[in-house]
């Protein structure tokens, strides 16, 4: 059971969710027939060592629901009670998402990142409302509402993906919506500013994009950066968020510029890596591997990552002075804890 009631979800989030939450992508055995417990534990333990507040158990890979729930149980056991475990509510339809969120609650998840399936084609704000409320009503867990262009709601529904008036209805009617991951209208920053202005006194506003998090935190309070591939920068994002909370803006700005070579390369590769409005989890797994995370094989279907892209991502970290792994790329496809 979560350490709060549905009515307490927002207070829990305000108190507990201070820092950065990274992503843990499931690891598999070499024959791809099962999940790799040792590798999963390695990644969760390293995320804790790097100073992350918690981790998202990514479900957007080729994994069955029973395997995914086992993955969450392993992560929960390795993480301990204080590390925040986030369920990735990204399954094929509403029925599967309701089953998954109930299973994730039983597996020890603390929080839900609510996503919308590729087969979900809303034609009105009411359709989005109904889907979102159904998921929220199915769980006692706190929920992260996630306005984002990936869902394909813009411009059919609204250019901001989930408009403020609809967010208002959902906050009023779903007491366990405790966080807004404010990427509506990406890459515009209007969504995070609008959400902070309209809803920041009621729910936590998260800015997951570090290139916007660091400058925006110097002019508005941002206590949470969740969820994102922050592991690409090792322990840097948790450290810079601590500086920002302490008002040490000059030091935070120095880190911003230090990361800029890696940030530019990562951004420049985004179009090739993340085609089809679908995040390339293979690439994210490689980014983590550069900083000591497991890496390892993923099942088909999976997007690919090529030598030129791997070389560029590693060079970005070298140029930023972050000392990435220089192991041969073939080692990424084996993983640091093969089984």
């Amino acid at each position: 059971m979560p350490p709060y009631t549905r009515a307490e979800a927002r207070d829990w989030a305000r108190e507990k969710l201070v820092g950065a939450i990274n992503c843990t992508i499931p690891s598999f055995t070499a024959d791809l027939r099962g999940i790799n417990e040792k590798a999963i534990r390695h990644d969760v333990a390293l995320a804790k060592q790097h100073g992350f507040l918690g981790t998202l158990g990514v479900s957007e890979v080729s994994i069955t629901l029973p395997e995914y729930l086992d993955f969450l149980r392993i992560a929960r056991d390795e993480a301990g009670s204080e590390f925040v475990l986030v369920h990735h509510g990204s399954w094929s339809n509403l029925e599967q998402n309701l089953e998954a969120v109930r299973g994730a609650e039983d597996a020890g998840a603390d929080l839900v990142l609510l996503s919308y399936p590729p087969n979900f084609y809303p034609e009105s704000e009411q359709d989005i409302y109904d889907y979102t409320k159904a998921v929220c009503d199915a769980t006692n867990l706190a929920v992260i509402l996630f306005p984002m262009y990936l869902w394909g709601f813009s411009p059919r529904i609204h250019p901001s993906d989930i408009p403020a008036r609809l967010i208002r209805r959902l906050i009023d009617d779903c007491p366990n919506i405790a966080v807004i991951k404010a990427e509506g209208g990406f890459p515009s920053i209007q969504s995070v500013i609008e959400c902070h202005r309209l809803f920041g006194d009621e729910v936590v506003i998260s800015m997951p994009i570090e290139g916007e998090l660091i400058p925006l935190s110097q002019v508005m309070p941002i206590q949470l950066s969740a969820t994102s591939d922050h592991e690409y920068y090792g322990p840097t994002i948790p450290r810079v968020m601590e500086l920002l909370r302490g008002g040490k803006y000059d030091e935070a700005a120095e880190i911003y510029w230090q990361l800029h070579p890696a940030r530019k390369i990562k951004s420049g590769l985004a179009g090739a890596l993340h085609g089809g409005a679908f995040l390339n989890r293979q690439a994210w797994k490689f980014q983590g591997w550069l900083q000591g995370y497991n890496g390892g094989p993923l099942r088909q279907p999976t997007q690919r990552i090529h030598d030129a892209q791997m070389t560029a991502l590693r060079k970005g970290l070298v140029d930023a002075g972050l000392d990435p792994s220089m192991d041969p790329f073939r080692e990424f496809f084996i993983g640091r804890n093969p089984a």
Side-chain angles (χ1 to χ4, degrees), residues 61-135:
V61 293
S62 182
I63 190 170
T64 66
L65 180 56
E67 288 175 324
Y68 175 77
L69 296 179
D70 283 343
F71 161 59
L72 289 186
R73 291 185 190 99
I74 292 166
R76 173 82 284 157
D77 183 67
E78 183 65 32
S81 60
E82 292 303 309
F83 194 70
V84 175
L85 181 60
V86 186
H87 163 58
H88 194 184
S90 185
W91 296 84
S92 296
N93 56 35
L94 178 58
E95 181 181 6
Q96 288 184 14
N97 274 294
L98 297 182
E99 181 183 1
V101 77
R102 294 179 183 121
E105 187 172 336
D106 290 340
D110 299 299
L111 189 59
V112 180
L113 176 63
L114 195 155
S115 299
Y116 299 90
N119 300 310
F120 177 57
Y121 189 82
E123 297 185 88
S124 67
E125 293 180 21
Q126 187 65 40
D127 291 341
I128 298 171
Y129 174 93
D130 292 341
Y131 183 100
T132 305
K133 191 170 189 302
V135 175

Side-chain angles (χ1 to χ4, degrees), residues 24-28 35-45 67 70-72 74-75 78 294 337:
T24 298
I25 297 166
S27 289
F28 297 92
I35 58 174
N36 182 341
E37 179 172 345
K38 185 178 179 182
I40 294 164
R41 289 183 180 277
H42 170 90
D43 282 351
V44 173
E67 288 175 324
D70 283 343
F71 161 59
L72 289 186
I74 292 166
E78 183 65 32
N294 185 73
N337 298 274

